[in-house]
Amino acid sequence: LYVTFGEDSTADRRGVTRDTYLSGSTLEVGFNYGDDNRLQLERDEDKNALVAFDLAGAAQPAGTLVGLRLELFVIEAESAVTIEAREQPQGWDEGNVDGAPGVANWTQATLATAWTSPGATPATPVLGTFVVSQLGRAGVALPLVLFDRWRNGTGAGGWLPLVSGDEVRFGSREGADGQRPRLVLSVQP
């Protein structure tokens, strides 16, 4: 049995996703991309993505939780890339612009709060690593403990840095139906 959180029409729980990407490019440092229909990750231009699912108050699914997976849809990949999934402990605003001044951006998590490290680069453990080499759905298994932490409101979501390769673009929550980020719970009855 699977329970899906996300904005696709097939998701079991909708209205739960926040996402954006941050650019460290000199001309884009203060820009927000919360309303972009894609999440961009690029090593040479310092672009990182943030994805979060608001699970606060979500009921524990009936049965035993046996898997938790972050899934993204690759809409463009220049070559095989390796991506790390890390938890982002700092709160952040998604923003509602696309390539204009706003927050979150490279230096600011919210209007009133700077990132503790520019680009939202937390010194948190790697939760999982995945390689993207073709268009379509890709994902990474996450520790089950994250579901309870996010459900209890004690997590700000995930941070996705590109660790090898050039660049990749994923569909964002504003993207096409079927190409949006989703969090998939595997439940054993």
Side-chain angles (χ1 to χ4, degrees):
L1 174 69
Y2 297 98
V3 179
T4 305
F5 293 82
E7 307 314 312
D8 281 333
S9 60
T10 59
D12 298 302
R13 306 249 167 62
R14 292 188 209 110
V16 297
T17 312
R18 289 184 298 138
D19 60 22
T20 191
Y21 71 89
L22 312 172
S23 176
S25 174
T26 305
L27 299 175
E28 299 176 335
V29 167
F31 284 15
N32 171 258
Y33 294 93
D35 200 35
D36 199 328
N37 64 0
R38 65 203 165 164
L39 298 170
Q40 296 186 48
L41 283 77
E42 294 184 39
R43 282 189 343 139
D44 61 342
E45 292 192 29
D46 288 331
K47 290 184 180 175
N48 299 323
L50 293 163
V51 178
F53 298 90
D54 181 5
L55 306 181
Q60 175 75 33
T64 304
L65 182 62
V66 293
L68 182 64
R69 183 174 171 84
L70 170 64
E71 294 186 354
L72 302 166
F73 194 93
V74 181
I75 57 175
E76 185 180 329
E78 302 226 344
S79 61
V81 297
T82 302
I83 300 163
E84 290 178 346
R86 295 175 180 256
E87 189 170 21
Q88 174 50 259
Q90 192 172 349
W92 52 278
D93 290 336
E94 177 182 35
N96 59 1
V97 294
D98 180 8
V103 293
N105 60 49
W106 190 258
T107 58
Q108 293 291 124
T110 68
L111 191 57
T113 308
W115 290 112
T116 54
S117 177
T121 53
T124 56
V126 174
L127 301 173
T129 301
F130 60 111
V131 176
V132 172
S133 59
Q134 60 188 11
L135 303 182
R137 186 88 30 209
V140 59
L142 299 173
L144 298 178
V145 68
L146 289 180
F147 177 73
D148 282 332
R149 198 156 55 226
W150 293 346
R151 190 168 64 98
N152 295 325
T154 56
W159 172 65
L160 303 171
L162 186 62
V163 295
S164 72
D166 186 26
E167 65 184 90
V168 64
R169 289 178 176 81
F170 298 106
S172 77
R173 77 177 186 97
E174 292 81 11
D177 192 35
Q179 297 182 356
R180 299 171 181 149
R182 62 187 184 195
L183 187 67
V184 180
L185 280 62
S186 300
V187 181
Q188 192 173 42

